[in-house]
Amino acid sequence: MTLKIKAYSDFICPFCFLGKGPLDEIIKEKDVEVEWMPFELRPSPAPKIDPWKEADKLGSWDSFILPASKQLGVEMRLPRLSPHPYTHLAFEGCQFAKDHGKGNEFHHRVFTAFFQEEQDIEDIEVLTKLAGEVGLPKEDFRDALVIRKYREVHQEALRHAYEDARITAVPTFIIGDEVIQGLASKERLAQVIDKELDKKHLLSIDGLQCDLNGNC
């Protein structure tokens, strides 16, 4: 029985990008299905994040983020975009991609475009190019972003994250009844996933019986 995982992240969160690696490996080995959920760390009109002008953020990059990326074997760099982009358009693009069966592929491509190629993921033309690279219809995609076709869908997804799921930091992984907040190793994820898969198996057989009439 497939175990569903909800993974909350933002495209400008370096630990979210790093957290994808272990989860992507797990997907290849376990009977799990991951749905990537939006969470905006700095939604418009709040001031944008600008780590190149904030010494503490630059220090965190050198002290924590780069060592973690090396430990996980993930290539990444601090994008030289000052300030960093808002991510609502990228997430609206994800909603389009979900409707066309390419949600996870587009989500992954946006992440790599930002943290490996330093592309501006707030630019509609950039997002449209990325959409085409994962097999989405470029003109339809671009038109959807221009007219903000998925704005309400995205806003409802954000409301769910903030209010229903009560997400306060990313990455956050909801795996069955378990919640993991922050970067997690493949081993930790596998342990929680195996525990939840075992629970689902037990639930699927609990209560099976035959009665006196021979009904089973």
Side-chain angles (χ1 to χ4, degrees), residues 10 12 40-54 56-57 81-89 114 119-124:
D10 193 0
I12 58 172
E40 292 185 39
L41 287 168
R42 197 67 64 87
S44 175
K48 292 182 175 181
I49 294 172
D50 196 347
W52 287 103
K53 294 183 178 178
E54 299 179 45
D56 60 330
K57 288 186 172 57
L81 296 172
S82 183
H84 279 185
Y86 289 128
T87 53
H88 57 278
L89 285 177
F114 186 61
Q119 296 194 56
D120 184 357
I121 57 171
E122 190 179 357
D123 186 291
I124 288 179

Side-chain angles (χ1 to χ4, degrees), residues 111-164:
F111 255 136
T112 58
F114 186 61
F115 278 115
Q116 293 183 340
E117 301 163 8
E118 303 182 69
Q119 296 194 56
D120 184 357
I121 57 171
E122 190 179 357
D123 186 291
I124 288 179
E125 298 306 322
V126 169
L127 292 170
T128 300
K129 176 176 67 70
L130 300 178
E133 290 174 5
V134 299
L136 291 168
K138 292 173 63 175
E139 292 305 316
D140 291 346
F141 179 91
R142 186 182 186 282
D143 290 345
L145 291 195
V146 169
I147 67 172
R148 305 295 301 279
K149 179 179 179 179
Y150 289 89
R151 179 176 183 175
E152 296 305 318
V153 176
H154 172 54
Q155 290 302 315
E156 174 57 25
L158 286 183
R159 186 206 62 76
H160 158 78
Y162 300 147
E163 298 177 14
D164 297 339

